[in-house]
């Protein structure tokens, strides 16, 4: 008997209707803590994807005419509902990702913050005016929506990353087709239900499910104007090249290898506390996780305390309040992390803590990896070069801040980095010279709030306009420049002149 037949099916959301797919191809959705299948997700047909795009295109014609304050009020209503259902959404995230309660709640809250920023859309879409660029001639710019936008989102933040995308795009006057990760489709559907409840018109948001074949349909569709993506480096490169090759505007967020530099004058108690959480939180499955610590000079004396700190944390089920993090998303993800740990040992790194044989009582089939710490790591080793995406921290030692900055700048990724120090001069040199888009000073994970933008650099990002904040509005809009002249004889006069305001 086919197990998938008895599982609840995840619907598509097309033209304002939650509908079952007509496809014959389905994938299981699995709870990674138990390895139990909890739902089945369709690989949408070509006709279903085309219908979603067509519906979004038709909805755009009326949605673009909705006044900006009304679009802002929709976002205010939506953020209110998201707050009301915050804990429910977090529980849903835990069921399909295995995240513990704190991580899942943070996932939802960071998404809510972006929706709140989308409610400020009117001020973000203001143009510019210069009077008298020539005699009696004025020039001004208008910010206008593009049309149908699309988002392709990963498994690790099922609420936050979709909410990075479609609220800002829709608030700016566009419509949106979302393709969430096939591993975590349930949260996206619930987000759409709440968006509809908030008053979103039919067709403004569409959701289709699938894998590479469905992504390619979206990338090749002529009516889709923009593509937003978050995922691995190879896929980001493919999305960017394919999307731009078909004339689309693309922002593709890729991999990361985030370094924390620890200076000898840093508060080592704070270093250990922040470093452990940023390395293993969310099982290391986040693009802003600290996966490399660079110990400068005598800062290497922190290693025993770091080893002790990491040895005291453990993974567990989402309802385990003592667990620091949950399982990896899949058996394949676990196998990849274990293979890299094995490679690190084989290449000569010192495995201070080995989480390869981790087990969690009552969950024998979960995808568990314990906290893992390496010292004596060299830049040539695979555990340094590759994004592990697991609860693995590698330690390198250098003699100076200059060497640390050079090390980071040689790494192909440039997503996030941080420095822990008591020296303002060291912090100033670091933030000025490091070639990384997001920098923390005594902050381990420098993710900006949504009134700024998420700004990965180099191999961590393909494109030129980043997520949320002002850059997202620029990404989802086009600027129109108007140069106008009115002649004196056009001024109406007389008793019959009437001004109508609406």
């Amino acid at each position: 008997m086919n197990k998938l037949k008895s599982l609840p099916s995840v619907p598509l959301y097309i033209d304002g209707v939650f509908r079952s797919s007509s496809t014959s191809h389905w994938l299981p959705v699995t709870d990674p803590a138990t390895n139990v299948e909890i739902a089945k997700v369709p690989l949408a047909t070509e006709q279903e994807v085309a219908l979603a795009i067509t519906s979004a295109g038709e909805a755009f014609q009326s949605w673009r005419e909705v006044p900006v304050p009304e679009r802002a009020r929709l976002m205010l209503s939506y953020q209110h509902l998201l707050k009301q259902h915050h804990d429910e959404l977090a529980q849903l995230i835990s069921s399909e990702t295995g995240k513990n309660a704190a991580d899942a709640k943070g996932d939802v809250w960071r998404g809510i913050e972006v929706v709140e920023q989308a409610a400020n859309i009117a001020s973000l879409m203001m143009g510019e005016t210069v009077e008298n660029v020539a005699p009696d001639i004025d020039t001004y710019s208008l910010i206008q929506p593009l049309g149908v936008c699309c988002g392709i989102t990963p498994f690790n933040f099922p609420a936050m990353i979709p909410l990075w995308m479609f609220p800002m795009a829709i608030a700016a006057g566009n419509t949106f087709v979302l393709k969430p990760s096939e591993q975590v489709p349930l949260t996206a559907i619930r987000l759409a239900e709440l968006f509809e409840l908030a008053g979103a018109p039919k067709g403004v948001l569409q959701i289709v499910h699938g894998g590479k074949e469905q992504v390619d349909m979206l990338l090749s569709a002529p009516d889709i104007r923009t593509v937003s993506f978050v995922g691995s480096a190879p896929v980001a490169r493919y999305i960017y090249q394919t999307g731009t090759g078909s004339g689309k505007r693309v922002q593709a967020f890729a991999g990361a290898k985030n370094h924390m530099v620890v200076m000898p004058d840093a508060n080592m108690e704070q270093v250990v506390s922040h470093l452990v959480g940023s390395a293993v939180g969310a099982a290391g499955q986040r693009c802003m996780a600290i996966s490399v610590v660079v110990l400068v000079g005598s800062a290497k004396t922190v290693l025993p305390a770091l080893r002790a700190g990491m040895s005291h944390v453990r993974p567990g089920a989402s309802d385990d309040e003592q667990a620091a993090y949950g399982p990896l998303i899949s058996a394949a993800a676990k196998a990849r992390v274990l293979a890299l740990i094995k490679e690190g040992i084989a290449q000569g790194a010192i495995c201070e803590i080995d989480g390869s044989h981790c087990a969690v009582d009552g969950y024998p089939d979960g995808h568990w990896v314990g906290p893992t710490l390496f010292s004596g790591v060299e830049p040539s080793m695979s555990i340094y070069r590759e994004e592990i995406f697991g609860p693995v921290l590698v330690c390198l030692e250098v003699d100076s801040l200059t060497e640390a900055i050079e090390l980071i700048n040689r790494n192909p990724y440039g997503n996030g980095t941080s420095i822990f120090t008591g020296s303002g001069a060291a912090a100033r040199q670091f933030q000025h010279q490091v070639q990384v888009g997001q920098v923390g000073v005594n902050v381990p994970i420098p993710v900006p709030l949504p009134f700024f933008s998420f700004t990965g650099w180099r191999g961590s990002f393909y494109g030129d306009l980043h997520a949320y904040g002002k850059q997202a509005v620029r990404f989802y809009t086009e600027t129109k420049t108007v140069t106008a002249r009115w002649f004196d004889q056009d001024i109406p006069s007389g008793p019959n002149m009437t001004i109508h305001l609406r």
Side-chain angles (χ1 to χ4, degrees), residues 239-250:
I239 295 285
Y240 181 76
Q241 292 173 344
T242 307
T244 56
S246 61
K248 304 184 191 313
R249 185 179 291 179
V250 180

Side-chain angles (χ1 to χ4, degrees), residues 42-108:
L43 303 182
T45 67
E46 185 175 357
Q47 292 75 20
E48 288 165 344
V49 174
L51 179 60
I53 296 169
T54 299
S55 172
E58 292 172 351
F60 173 68
Q61 301 307 318
S62 56
W63 179 245
R64 67 177 302 179
E65 304 300 335
V66 172
V68 174
E70 289 187 32
R71 303 202 302 258
R73 283 192 286 271
L74 170 62
M75 296 304 157
L76 286 171
S77 297
Y78 190 37
Q79 63 88 25
H80 176 68
L81 282 172
L82 290 171
K83 288 177 180 177
Q84 282 188 327
H85 294 268
H86 177 274
D87 289 354
E88 170 210 327
L89 285 164
Q91 290 173 357
L92 186 57
I93 290 169
S94 292
S95 73
E96 59 182 355
T97 67
K99 286 188 178 187
N100 65 16
D103 275 339
K105 289 178 180 179
D107 187 337
V108 179

Side-chain angles (χ1 to χ4, degrees), residues 4 37 109 131 148 155 178 183 251 254 258 289 308 363 369 382 416 459:
L4 287 178
E37 295 172 357
W109 187 255
E131 190 179 43
V148 181
F155 74 84
L178 174 65
Q183 295 177 291
Q251 53 178 200
N258 303 317
Y363 296 88
V369 175
S382 57

